[in-house]
Amino acid sequence: DAGVIQSPRHEVTEMGQEVTLRCKPISGHDYLFWYRQTMMRGLELLIYFNNNVPIDDSGMPEDRFSAKMPNASFSTLKIQPSEPRDSAVYFCASNPGGAGYQPQHFGDGTRLSIL
Amino acid sequence: KNQVEQSPQSLIILEGKNCTLQCNYTVSPFSNLRWYKQDTGRGPVSLTIMTFSENTKSNGRYTATLDADTKQSSLHITASQLSDSASYICVVSGSSGTYKYIFGTGTRLKVLA
């Protein structure tokens, strides 16, 4: 099992540019999550999907942020236009659905720096 | 307001020693509490998950306790190793069926040889 795969691992871009972060969840997992981590605020949920459908996007900070999940094996988080305050580590996580309490499996994140 | 607070913010111990990390939460209703380990530059990895009816759970040298009445949890690390150096994050789920977890800001542990 390759785990949750995120790309790129690092992204440095200038303010105003479009940024696209990518995620491949673990095969068979019904839920996919996007988180943002900063020193000040820790991990914050941005949005999550169930069976490719967005369920809760109340954590998306602004309209500049958008996320899609076109199929069960791929999701993107897009920021357009980017701003310096968007600099953070963005994590994707997935877990299987169903009964019980399932651990979330995180990718290793994309470290985003907006200059 | 639903909150998860962890203490201490950081901790330095010598290899082989034990330590205990604390987590207090105000999340209500409560469904489950999780502890994650996050190595530098990596994503968090699940250590334990406890429901309100469980008051202790172990994963190797890691033992988590939960007191749902006082809304407190602790993570005890026994015979620490250099590889235990990481951030430990406490996470609380507010109600069954929701995935809106509330994350603490973590305790950064450094184990010295």
PDB file of all heavy atoms in Angstrom, chain A residues 21 32-37 43-49 55-62 65-67 77-79 86 88-92, chain B residues 99-100 103:
ATOM      1  N   LEU A  21      -2.544  21.949  -5.872  1.00  0.00           N
ATOM      2  CA  LEU A  21      -1.994  20.863  -5.078  1.00  0.00           C
ATOM      3  C   LEU A  21      -2.773  19.600  -5.417  1.00  0.00           C
ATOM      4  O   LEU A  21      -3.995  19.647  -5.613  1.00  0.00           O
ATOM      5  CB  LEU A  21      -2.124  21.170  -3.583  1.00  0.00           C
ATOM      6  CG  LEU A  21      -1.645  22.554  -3.126  1.00  0.00           C
ATOM      7  CD1 LEU A  21      -1.789  22.697  -1.622  1.00  0.00           C
ATOM      8  CD2 LEU A  21      -0.225  22.818  -3.565  1.00  0.00           C
ATOM      9  N   LEU A  32     -12.025  11.694   1.730  1.00  0.00           N
ATOM     10  CA  LEU A  32     -10.795  12.423   1.477  1.00  0.00           C
ATOM     11  C   LEU A  32     -10.909  13.802   2.106  1.00  0.00           C
ATOM     12  O   LEU A  32     -11.946  14.450   2.018  1.00  0.00           O
ATOM     13  CB  LEU A  32     -10.541  12.560  -0.028  1.00  0.00           C
ATOM     14  CG  LEU A  32      -9.236  13.275  -0.405  1.00  0.00           C
ATOM     15  CD1 LEU A  32      -8.558  12.591  -1.583  1.00  0.00           C
ATOM     16  CD2 LEU A  32      -9.443  14.742  -0.694  1.00  0.00           C
ATOM     17  N   PHE A  33      -9.824  14.207   2.755  1.00  0.00           N
ATOM     18  CA  PHE A  33      -9.805  15.448   3.510  1.00  0.00           C
ATOM     19  C   PHE A  33      -8.643  16.319   3.037  1.00  0.00           C
ATOM     20  O   PHE A  33      -7.572  15.810   2.743  1.00  0.00           O
ATOM     21  CB  PHE A  33      -9.614  15.177   5.004  1.00  0.00           C
ATOM     22  CG  PHE A  33     -10.621  14.226   5.593  1.00  0.00           C
ATOM     23  CD1 PHE A  33     -10.507  12.859   5.409  1.00  0.00           C
ATOM     24  CD2 PHE A  33     -11.675  14.715   6.350  1.00  0.00           C
ATOM     25  CE1 PHE A  33     -11.424  11.980   5.960  1.00  0.00           C
ATOM     26  CE2 PHE A  33     -12.595  13.849   6.909  1.00  0.00           C
ATOM     27  CZ  PHE A  33     -12.479  12.473   6.711  1.00  0.00           C
ATOM     28  N   TRP A  34      -8.846  17.616   3.048  1.00  0.00           N
ATOM     29  CA  TRP A  34      -7.768  18.579   2.863  1.00  0.00           C
ATOM     30  C   TRP A  34      -7.630  19.402   4.147  1.00  0.00           C
ATOM     31  O   TRP A  34      -8.610  19.955   4.651  1.00  0.00           O
ATOM     32  CB  TRP A  34      -8.040  19.516   1.689  1.00  0.00           C
ATOM     33  CG  TRP A  34      -7.807  18.917   0.344  1.00  0.00           C
ATOM     34  CD1 TRP A  34      -8.727  18.415  -0.528  1.00  0.00           C
ATOM     35  CD2 TRP A  34      -6.531  18.776  -0.310  1.00  0.00           C
ATOM     36  NE1 TRP A  34      -8.113  17.974  -1.661  1.00  0.00           N
ATOM     37  CE2 TRP A  34      -6.770  18.182  -1.561  1.00  0.00           C
ATOM     38  CE3 TRP A  34      -5.215  19.089   0.050  1.00  0.00           C
ATOM     39  CZ2 TRP A  34      -5.743  17.890  -2.469  1.00  0.00           C
ATOM     40  CZ3 TRP A  34      -4.204  18.810  -0.842  1.00  0.00           C
ATOM     41  CH2 TRP A  34      -4.466  18.212  -2.088  1.00  0.00           C
ATOM     42  N   TYR A  35      -6.381  19.470   4.643  1.00  0.00           N
ATOM     43  CA  TYR A  35      -6.070  20.236   5.845  1.00  0.00           C
ATOM     44  C   TYR A  35      -4.974  21.257   5.530  1.00  0.00           C
ATOM     45  O   TYR A  35      -4.178  21.082   4.617  1.00  0.00           O
ATOM     46  CB  TYR A  35      -5.543  19.331   6.961  1.00  0.00           C
ATOM     47  CG  TYR A  35      -6.537  18.387   7.564  1.00  0.00           C
ATOM     48  CD1 TYR A  35      -6.669  17.082   7.098  1.00  0.00           C
ATOM     49  CD2 TYR A  35      -7.330  18.788   8.636  1.00  0.00           C
ATOM     50  CE1 TYR A  35      -7.559  16.191   7.682  1.00  0.00           C
ATOM     51  CE2 TYR A  35      -8.234  17.902   9.222  1.00  0.00           C
ATOM     52  CZ  TYR A  35      -8.340  16.614   8.737  1.00  0.00           C
ATOM     53  OH  TYR A  35      -9.232  15.746   9.312  1.00  0.00           O
ATOM     54  N   ARG A  36      -4.921  22.296   6.375  1.00  0.00           N
ATOM     55  CA  ARG A  36      -3.840  23.259   6.310  1.00  0.00           C
ATOM     56  C   ARG A  36      -3.217  23.310   7.703  1.00  0.00           C
ATOM     57  O   ARG A  36      -3.944  23.333   8.716  1.00  0.00           O
ATOM     58  CB  ARG A  36      -4.369  24.635   5.915  1.00  0.00           C
ATOM     59  CG  ARG A  36      -3.331  25.727   5.879  1.00  0.00           C
ATOM     60  CD  ARG A  36      -3.883  27.000   5.267  1.00  0.00           C
ATOM     61  NE  ARG A  36      -4.932  27.616   6.063  1.00  0.00           N
ATOM     62  CZ  ARG A  36      -5.519  28.759   5.729  1.00  0.00           C
ATOM     63  NH1 ARG A  36      -5.178  29.375   4.610  1.00  0.00           N
ATOM     64  NH2 ARG A  36      -6.465  29.257   6.495  1.00  0.00           N
ATOM     65  N   GLN A  37      -1.889  23.321   7.758  1.00  0.00           N
ATOM     66  CA  GLN A  37      -1.193  23.361   9.042  1.00  0.00           C
ATOM     67  C   GLN A  37      -0.262  24.554   9.102  1.00  0.00           C
ATOM     68  O   GLN A  37       0.587  24.745   8.226  1.00  0.00           O
ATOM     69  CB  GLN A  37      -0.399  22.078   9.284  1.00  0.00           C
ATOM     70  CG  GLN A  37       0.234  22.002  10.668  1.00  0.00           C
ATOM     71  CD  GLN A  37       0.956  20.685  10.913  1.00  0.00           C
ATOM     72  OE1 GLN A  37       1.638  20.159  10.045  1.00  0.00           O
ATOM     73  NE2 GLN A  37       0.789  20.128  12.118  1.00  0.00           N
ATOM     74  N   LEU A  43      -3.434  22.232  12.780  1.00  0.00           N
ATOM     75  CA  LEU A  43      -4.140  21.630  11.643  1.00  0.00           C
ATOM     76  C   LEU A  43      -5.585  22.122  11.601  1.00  0.00           C
ATOM     77  O   LEU A  43      -6.291  22.082  12.605  1.00  0.00           O
ATOM     78  CB  LEU A  43      -4.134  20.111  11.759  1.00  0.00           C
ATOM     79  CG  LEU A  43      -2.912  19.401  11.206  1.00  0.00           C
ATOM     80  CD1 LEU A  43      -2.762  18.022  11.813  1.00  0.00           C
ATOM     81  CD2 LEU A  43      -2.999  19.303   9.688  1.00  0.00           C
ATOM     82  N   GLU A  44      -5.997  22.537  10.429  1.00  0.00           N
ATOM     83  CA  GLU A  44      -7.377  23.008  10.230  1.00  0.00           C
ATOM     84  C   GLU A  44      -7.977  22.284   9.029  1.00  0.00           C
ATOM     85  O   GLU A  44      -7.333  22.205   7.980  1.00  0.00           O
ATOM     86  CB  GLU A  44      -7.407  24.508   9.951  1.00  0.00           C
ATOM     87  CG  GLU A  44      -6.831  25.376  11.057  1.00  0.00           C
ATOM     88  CD  GLU A  44      -6.782  26.822  10.622  1.00  0.00           C
ATOM     89  OE1 GLU A  44      -5.936  27.149   9.766  1.00  0.00           O
ATOM     90  OE2 GLU A  44      -7.586  27.626  11.130  1.00  0.00           O
ATOM     91  N   LEU A  45      -9.186  21.787   9.209  1.00  0.00           N
ATOM     92  CA  LEU A  45      -9.876  21.132   8.106  1.00  0.00           C
ATOM     93  C   LEU A  45     -10.382  22.178   7.122  1.00  0.00           C
ATOM     94  O   LEU A  45     -11.054  23.134   7.511  1.00  0.00           O
ATOM     95  CB  LEU A  45     -11.051  20.321   8.633  1.00  0.00           C
ATOM     96  CG  LEU A  45     -11.936  19.653   7.587  1.00  0.00           C
ATOM     97  CD1 LEU A  45     -11.160  18.572   6.826  1.00  0.00           C
ATOM     98  CD2 LEU A  45     -13.172  19.047   8.235  1.00  0.00           C
ATOM     99  N   LEU A  46     -10.068  21.985   5.858  1.00  0.00           N
ATOM    100  CA  LEU A  46     -10.550  22.891   4.820  1.00  0.00           C
ATOM    101  C   LEU A  46     -11.834  22.365   4.187  1.00  0.00           C
ATOM    102  O   LEU A  46     -12.833  23.063   4.078  1.00  0.00           O
ATOM    103  CB  LEU A  46      -9.478  23.084   3.740  1.00  0.00           C
ATOM    104  CG  LEU A  46      -8.143  23.674   4.214  1.00  0.00           C
ATOM    105  CD1 LEU A  46      -7.149  23.719   3.052  1.00  0.00           C
ATOM    106  CD2 LEU A  46      -8.337  25.053   4.806  1.00  0.00           C
ATOM    107  N   ILE A  47     -11.791  21.101   3.769  1.00  0.00           N
ATOM    108  CA  ILE A  47     -12.925  20.509   3.069  1.00  0.00           C
ATOM    109  C   ILE A  47     -12.777  19.001   3.135  1.00  0.00           C
ATOM    110  O   ILE A  47     -11.669  18.488   3.252  1.00  0.00           O
ATOM    111  CB  ILE A  47     -12.980  20.974   1.597  1.00  0.00           C
ATOM    112  CG1 ILE A  47     -14.223  20.450   0.867  1.00  0.00           C
ATOM    113  CG2 ILE A  47     -11.706  20.574   0.852  1.00  0.00           C
ATOM    114  CD1 ILE A  47     -14.400  21.055  -0.534  1.00  0.00           C
ATOM    115  N   TYR A  48     -13.923  18.273   3.089  1.00  0.00           N
ATOM    116  CA  TYR A  48     -13.797  16.845   2.919  1.00  0.00           C
ATOM    117  C   TYR A  48     -14.862  16.308   1.972  1.00  0.00           C
ATOM    118  O   TYR A  48     -15.929  16.909   1.795  1.00  0.00           O
ATOM    119  CB  TYR A  48     -13.779  16.099   4.258  1.00  0.00           C
ATOM    120  CG  TYR A  48     -15.084  15.917   4.987  1.00  0.00           C
ATOM    121  CD1 TYR A  48     -15.872  14.783   4.786  1.00  0.00           C
ATOM    122  CD2 TYR A  48     -15.486  16.831   5.951  1.00  0.00           C
ATOM    123  CE1 TYR A  48     -17.034  14.591   5.501  1.00  0.00           C
ATOM    124  CE2 TYR A  48     -16.651  16.652   6.672  1.00  0.00           C
ATOM    125  CZ  TYR A  48     -17.424  15.524   6.455  1.00  0.00           C
ATOM    126  OH  TYR A  48     -18.583  15.330   7.173  1.00  0.00           O
ATOM    127  N   PHE A  49     -14.515  15.197   1.346  1.00  0.00           N
ATOM    128  CA  PHE A  49     -15.347  14.542   0.348  1.00  0.00           C
ATOM    129  C   PHE A  49     -15.729  13.144   0.836  1.00  0.00           C
ATOM    130  O   PHE A  49     -14.952  12.479   1.524  1.00  0.00           O
ATOM    131  CB  PHE A  49     -14.574  14.374  -0.972  1.00  0.00           C
ATOM    132  CG  PHE A  49     -14.180  15.647  -1.645  1.00  0.00           C
ATOM    133  CD1 PHE A  49     -13.049  16.354  -1.244  1.00  0.00           C
ATOM    134  CD2 PHE A  49     -14.921  16.143  -2.705  1.00  0.00           C
ATOM    135  CE1 PHE A  49     -12.675  17.526  -1.876  1.00  0.00           C
ATOM    136  CE2 PHE A  49     -14.556  17.311  -3.358  1.00  0.00           C
ATOM    137  CZ  PHE A  49     -13.431  18.005  -2.937  1.00  0.00           C
ATOM    138  N   ILE A  55     -18.663  17.283   1.038  1.00  0.00           N
ATOM    139  CA  ILE A  55     -19.641  17.201   2.125  1.00  0.00           C
ATOM    140  C   ILE A  55     -19.641  18.470   2.966  1.00  0.00           C
ATOM    141  O   ILE A  55     -20.697  18.976   3.351  1.00  0.00           O
ATOM    142  CB  ILE A  55     -19.361  15.987   3.026  1.00  0.00           C
ATOM    143  CG1 ILE A  55     -19.390  14.702   2.211  1.00  0.00           C
ATOM    144  CG2 ILE A  55     -20.369  15.940   4.177  1.00  0.00           C
ATOM    145  CD1 ILE A  55     -20.711  14.437   1.496  1.00  0.00           C
ATOM    146  N   ASP A  56     -18.467  18.971   3.282  1.00  0.00           N
ATOM    147  CA  ASP A  56     -18.374  20.146   4.141  1.00  0.00           C
ATOM    148  C   ASP A  56     -17.181  20.979   3.693  1.00  0.00           C
ATOM    149  O   ASP A  56     -16.050  20.522   3.774  1.00  0.00           O
ATOM    150  CB  ASP A  56     -18.210  19.720   5.601  1.00  0.00           C
ATOM    151  CG  ASP A  56     -18.328  20.890   6.572  1.00  0.00           C
ATOM    152  OD1 ASP A  56     -17.972  22.029   6.214  1.00  0.00           O
ATOM    153  OD2 ASP A  56     -18.767  20.661   7.708  1.00  0.00           O
ATOM    154  N   ASP A  57     -17.449  22.164   3.209  1.00  0.00           N
ATOM    155  CA  ASP A  57     -16.373  23.059   2.776  1.00  0.00           C
ATOM    156  C   ASP A  57     -16.343  24.325   3.626  1.00  0.00           C
ATOM    157  O   ASP A  57     -15.811  25.355   3.208  1.00  0.00           O
ATOM    158  CB  ASP A  57     -16.493  23.412   1.298  1.00  0.00           C
ATOM    159  CG  ASP A  57     -17.746  24.229   1.006  1.00  0.00           C
ATOM    160  OD1 ASP A  57     -18.579  24.422   1.926  1.00  0.00           O
ATOM    161  OD2 ASP A  57     -17.915  24.669  -0.149  1.00  0.00           O
ATOM    162  N   SER A  58     -16.909  24.241   4.810  1.00  0.00           N
ATOM    163  CA  SER A  58     -17.002  25.433   5.653  1.00  0.00           C
ATOM    164  C   SER A  58     -15.634  25.924   6.128  1.00  0.00           C
ATOM    165  O   SER A  58     -15.511  27.060   6.569  1.00  0.00           O
ATOM    166  CB  SER A  58     -17.902  25.167   6.862  1.00  0.00           C
ATOM    167  OG  SER A  58     -17.396  24.108   7.643  1.00  0.00           O
ATOM    168  N   GLY A  59     -14.627  25.080   6.030  1.00  0.00           N
ATOM    169  CA  GLY A  59     -13.287  25.489   6.436  1.00  0.00           C
ATOM    170  C   GLY A  59     -12.493  26.175   5.345  1.00  0.00           C
ATOM    171  O   GLY A  59     -11.399  26.695   5.606  1.00  0.00           O
ATOM    172  N   MET A  60     -13.000  26.201   4.141  1.00  0.00           N
ATOM    173  CA  MET A  60     -12.309  26.875   3.052  1.00  0.00           C
ATOM    174  C   MET A  60     -12.305  28.372   3.353  1.00  0.00           C
ATOM    175  O   MET A  60     -13.367  28.986   3.483  1.00  0.00           O
ATOM    176  CB  MET A  60     -13.014  26.591   1.727  1.00  0.00           C
ATOM    177  CG  MET A  60     -12.984  25.115   1.355  1.00  0.00           C
ATOM    178  SD  MET A  60     -11.375  24.593   0.772  1.00  0.00           S
ATOM    179  CE  MET A  60     -11.650  24.685  -0.998  1.00  0.00           C
ATOM    180  N   PRO A  61     -11.124  28.950   3.453  1.00  0.00           N
ATOM    181  CA  PRO A  61     -11.034  30.320   3.966  1.00  0.00           C
ATOM    182  C   PRO A  61     -11.682  31.377   3.082  1.00  0.00           C
ATOM    183  O   PRO A  61     -12.262  32.324   3.585  1.00  0.00           O
ATOM    184  CB  PRO A  61      -9.532  30.538   4.132  1.00  0.00           C
ATOM    185  CG  PRO A  61      -8.878  29.531   3.271  1.00  0.00           C
ATOM    186  CD  PRO A  61      -9.787  28.369   3.189  1.00  0.00           C
ATOM    187  N   GLU A  62     -11.542  31.254   1.798  1.00  0.00           N
ATOM    188  CA  GLU A  62     -12.065  32.295   0.916  1.00  0.00           C
ATOM    189  C   GLU A  62     -12.416  31.675  -0.438  1.00  0.00           C
ATOM    190  O   GLU A  62     -12.086  30.528  -0.712  1.00  0.00           O
ATOM    191  CB  GLU A  62     -10.988  33.384   0.703  1.00  0.00           C
ATOM    192  CG  GLU A  62     -10.555  34.088   1.961  1.00  0.00           C
ATOM    193  CD  GLU A  62      -9.333  34.952   1.712  1.00  0.00           C
ATOM    194  OE1 GLU A  62      -9.204  35.521   0.616  1.00  0.00           O
ATOM    195  OE2 GLU A  62      -8.496  35.063   2.628  1.00  0.00           O
ATOM    196  N   PHE A  65     -10.001  29.770  -2.736  1.00  0.00           N
ATOM    197  CA  PHE A  65      -9.719  28.351  -2.572  1.00  0.00           C
ATOM    198  C   PHE A  65     -10.841  27.520  -3.197  1.00  0.00           C
ATOM    199  O   PHE A  65     -12.026  27.815  -2.991  1.00  0.00           O
ATOM    200  CB  PHE A  65      -9.624  27.993  -1.082  1.00  0.00           C
ATOM    201  CG  PHE A  65      -8.371  28.455  -0.406  1.00  0.00           C
ATOM    202  CD1 PHE A  65      -8.138  29.812  -0.176  1.00  0.00           C
ATOM    203  CD2 PHE A  65      -7.416  27.541   0.017  1.00  0.00           C
ATOM    204  CE1 PHE A  65      -6.982  30.240   0.457  1.00  0.00           C
ATOM    205  CE2 PHE A  65      -6.259  27.964   0.659  1.00  0.00           C
ATOM    206  CZ  PHE A  65      -6.040  29.313   0.876  1.00  0.00           C
ATOM    207  N   SER A  66     -10.445  26.480  -3.935  1.00  0.00           N
ATOM    208  CA  SER A  66     -11.428  25.556  -4.483  1.00  0.00           C
ATOM    209  C   SER A  66     -10.833  24.156  -4.489  1.00  0.00           C
ATOM    210  O   SER A  66      -9.623  23.991  -4.591  1.00  0.00           O
ATOM    211  CB  SER A  66     -11.853  25.965  -5.892  1.00  0.00           C
ATOM    212  OG  SER A  66     -10.752  25.928  -6.772  1.00  0.00           O
ATOM    213  N   ALA A  67     -11.685  23.159  -4.340  1.00  0.00           N
ATOM    214  CA  ALA A  67     -11.230  21.776  -4.349  1.00  0.00           C
ATOM    215  C   ALA A  67     -12.162  20.938  -5.200  1.00  0.00           C
ATOM    216  O   ALA A  67     -13.373  21.185  -5.235  1.00  0.00           O
ATOM    217  CB  ALA A  67     -11.170  21.214  -2.925  1.00  0.00           C
ATOM    218  N   LEU A  77      -6.546  20.727  -4.865  1.00  0.00           N
ATOM    219  CA  LEU A  77      -6.853  21.933  -4.106  1.00  0.00           C
ATOM    220  C   LEU A  77      -6.182  23.084  -4.842  1.00  0.00           C
ATOM    221  O   LEU A  77      -4.978  23.056  -5.059  1.00  0.00           O
ATOM    222  CB  LEU A  77      -6.333  21.841  -2.677  1.00  0.00           C
ATOM    223  CG  LEU A  77      -6.546  23.070  -1.784  1.00  0.00           C
ATOM    224  CD1 LEU A  77      -8.026  23.281  -1.497  1.00  0.00           C
ATOM    225  CD2 LEU A  77      -5.776  22.937  -0.469  1.00  0.00           C
ATOM    226  N   LYS A  78      -6.988  24.068  -5.224  1.00  0.00           N
ATOM    227  CA  LYS A  78      -6.475  25.156  -6.033  1.00  0.00           C
ATOM    228  C   LYS A  78      -6.617  26.482  -5.286  1.00  0.00           C
ATOM    229  O   LYS A  78      -7.637  26.728  -4.620  1.00  0.00           O
ATOM    230  CB  LYS A  78      -7.224  25.201  -7.362  1.00  0.00           C
ATOM    231  CG  LYS A  78      -6.670  26.178  -8.385  1.00  0.00           C
ATOM    232  CD  LYS A  78      -7.361  25.996  -9.736  1.00  0.00           C
ATOM    233  CE  LYS A  78      -7.040  24.669 -10.359  1.00  0.00           C
ATOM    234  NZ  LYS A  78      -7.559  24.531 -11.752  1.00  0.00           N
ATOM    235  N   ILE A  79      -5.606  27.298  -5.398  1.00  0.00           N
ATOM    236  CA  ILE A  79      -5.645  28.647  -4.822  1.00  0.00           C
ATOM    237  C   ILE A  79      -5.385  29.635  -5.958  1.00  0.00           C
ATOM    238  O   ILE A  79      -4.357  29.562  -6.633  1.00  0.00           O
ATOM    239  CB  ILE A  79      -4.576  28.838  -3.726  1.00  0.00           C
ATOM    240  CG1 ILE A  79      -4.669  27.729  -2.668  1.00  0.00           C
ATOM    241  CG2 ILE A  79      -4.751  30.205  -3.054  1.00  0.00           C
ATOM    242  CD1 ILE A  79      -3.528  27.754  -1.659  1.00  0.00           C
ATOM    243  N   ASP A  86      -1.273  32.578   2.552  1.00  0.00           N
ATOM    244  CA  ASP A  86      -1.627  31.193   2.236  1.00  0.00           C
ATOM    245  C   ASP A  86      -0.459  30.237   2.489  1.00  0.00           C
ATOM    246  O   ASP A  86      -0.619  29.018   2.391  1.00  0.00           O
ATOM    247  CB  ASP A  86      -2.056  31.069   0.775  1.00  0.00           C
ATOM    248  CG  ASP A  86      -3.246  31.949   0.438  1.00  0.00           C
ATOM    249  OD1 ASP A  86      -4.068  32.216   1.334  1.00  0.00           O
ATOM    250  OD2 ASP A  86      -3.337  32.393  -0.735  1.00  0.00           O
ATOM    251  N   ALA A  88       1.792  27.762   4.037  1.00  0.00           N
ATOM    252  CA  ALA A  88       1.488  26.762   5.066  1.00  0.00           C
ATOM    253  C   ALA A  88       1.861  25.399   4.500  1.00  0.00           C
ATOM    254  O   ALA A  88       2.300  25.275   3.358  1.00  0.00           O
ATOM    255  CB  ALA A  88      -0.005  26.778   5.428  1.00  0.00           C
ATOM    256  N   VAL A  89       1.663  24.369   5.312  1.00  0.00           N
ATOM    257  CA  VAL A  89       1.764  22.999   4.809  1.00  0.00           C
ATOM    258  C   VAL A  89       0.343  22.475   4.629  1.00  0.00           C
ATOM    259  O   VAL A  89      -0.477  22.538   5.554  1.00  0.00           O
ATOM    260  CB  VAL A  89       2.542  22.079   5.779  1.00  0.00           C
ATOM    261  CG1 VAL A  89       2.668  20.684   5.172  1.00  0.00           C
ATOM    262  CG2 VAL A  89       3.926  22.658   6.064  1.00  0.00           C
ATOM    263  N   TYR A  90       0.065  21.979   3.447  1.00  0.00           N
ATOM    264  CA  TYR A  90      -1.261  21.465   3.125  1.00  0.00           C
ATOM    265  C   TYR A  90      -1.200  19.941   3.093  1.00  0.00           C
ATOM    266  O   TYR A  90      -0.386  19.353   2.381  1.00  0.00           O
ATOM    267  CB  TYR A  90      -1.728  22.030   1.785  1.00  0.00           C
ATOM    268  CG  TYR A  90      -2.023  23.500   1.864  1.00  0.00           C
ATOM    269  CD1 TYR A  90      -0.995  24.448   1.786  1.00  0.00           C
ATOM    270  CD2 TYR A  90      -3.330  23.967   2.043  1.00  0.00           C
ATOM    271  CE1 TYR A  90      -1.260  25.806   1.890  1.00  0.00           C
ATOM    272  CE2 TYR A  90      -3.601  25.323   2.141  1.00  0.00           C
ATOM    273  CZ  TYR A  90      -2.559  26.235   2.065  1.00  0.00           C
ATOM    274  OH  TYR A  90      -2.833  27.581   2.172  1.00  0.00           O
ATOM    275  N   PHE A  91      -2.087  19.335   3.879  1.00  0.00           N
ATOM    276  CA  PHE A  91      -2.130  17.877   3.950  1.00  0.00           C
ATOM    277  C   PHE A  91      -3.420  17.348   3.343  1.00  0.00           C
ATOM    278  O   PHE A  91      -4.488  17.941   3.488  1.00  0.00           O
ATOM    279  CB  PHE A  91      -2.060  17.403   5.412  1.00  0.00           C
ATOM    280  CG  PHE A  91      -0.711  17.542   6.036  1.00  0.00           C
ATOM    281  CD1 PHE A  91      -0.424  18.605   6.874  1.00  0.00           C
ATOM    282  CD2 PHE A  91       0.276  16.599   5.798  1.00  0.00           C
ATOM    283  CE1 PHE A  91       0.823  18.738   7.461  1.00  0.00           C
ATOM    284  CE2 PHE A  91       1.527  16.716   6.381  1.00  0.00           C
ATOM    285  CZ  PHE A  91       1.799  17.789   7.210  1.00  0.00           C
ATOM    286  N   CYS A  92      -3.277  16.214   2.711  1.00  0.00           N
ATOM    287  CA  CYS A  92      -4.412  15.436   2.257  1.00  0.00           C
ATOM    288  C   CYS A  92      -4.462  14.180   3.121  1.00  0.00           C
ATOM    289  O   CYS A  92      -3.414  13.634   3.501  1.00  0.00           O
ATOM    290  CB  CYS A  92      -4.236  15.076   0.780  1.00  0.00           C
ATOM    291  SG  CYS A  92      -5.498  14.010   0.094  1.00  0.00           S
TER     292      CYS A  92
ATOM    293  N   TYR B  99     -16.910  14.272  10.606  1.00  0.00           N
ATOM    294  CA  TYR B  99     -15.468  14.233  10.441  1.00  0.00           C
ATOM    295  C   TYR B  99     -14.848  15.589  10.702  1.00  0.00           C
ATOM    296  O   TYR B  99     -13.738  15.856  10.283  1.00  0.00           O
ATOM    297  CB  TYR B  99     -15.133  13.731   9.034  1.00  0.00           C
ATOM    298  CG  TYR B  99     -15.413  12.254   8.885  1.00  0.00           C
ATOM    299  CD1 TYR B  99     -16.652  11.801   8.440  1.00  0.00           C
ATOM    300  CD2 TYR B  99     -14.448  11.314   9.216  1.00  0.00           C
ATOM    301  CE1 TYR B  99     -16.906  10.457   8.315  1.00  0.00           C
ATOM    302  CE2 TYR B  99     -14.700   9.968   9.082  1.00  0.00           C
ATOM    303  CZ  TYR B  99     -15.928   9.537   8.645  1.00  0.00           C
ATOM    304  OH  TYR B  99     -16.190   8.198   8.525  1.00  0.00           O
ATOM    305  N   LYS B 100     -15.551  16.423  11.422  1.00  0.00           N
ATOM    306  CA  LYS B 100     -15.005  17.743  11.749  1.00  0.00           C
ATOM    307  C   LYS B 100     -14.228  17.642  13.054  1.00  0.00           C
ATOM    308  O   LYS B 100     -14.703  18.028  14.108  1.00  0.00           O
ATOM    309  CB  LYS B 100     -16.118  18.778  11.834  1.00  0.00           C
ATOM    310  CG  LYS B 100     -16.821  18.996  10.493  1.00  0.00           C
ATOM    311  CD  LYS B 100     -17.725  20.196  10.499  1.00  0.00           C
ATOM    312  CE  LYS B 100     -16.916  21.475  10.475  1.00  0.00           C
ATOM    313  NZ  LYS B 100     -17.767  22.667  10.230  1.00  0.00           N
ATOM    314  N   PHE B 103      -8.446  19.862  16.350  1.00  0.00           N
ATOM    315  CA  PHE B 103      -7.048  19.502  16.582  1.00  0.00           C
ATOM    316  C   PHE B 103      -6.426  20.406  17.641  1.00  0.00           C
ATOM    317  O   PHE B 103      -6.635  21.627  17.628  1.00  0.00           O
ATOM    318  CB  PHE B 103      -6.243  19.661  15.288  1.00  0.00           C
ATOM    319  CG  PHE B 103      -6.521  18.611  14.253  1.00  0.00           C
ATOM    320  CD1 PHE B 103      -7.668  18.669  13.472  1.00  0.00           C
ATOM    321  CD2 PHE B 103      -5.630  17.570  14.052  1.00  0.00           C
ATOM    322  CE1 PHE B 103      -7.921  17.705  12.507  1.00  0.00           C
ATOM    323  CE2 PHE B 103      -5.880  16.602  13.085  1.00  0.00           C
ATOM    324  CZ  PHE B 103      -7.020  16.666  12.313  1.00  0.00           C
TER     325      PHE B 103
END
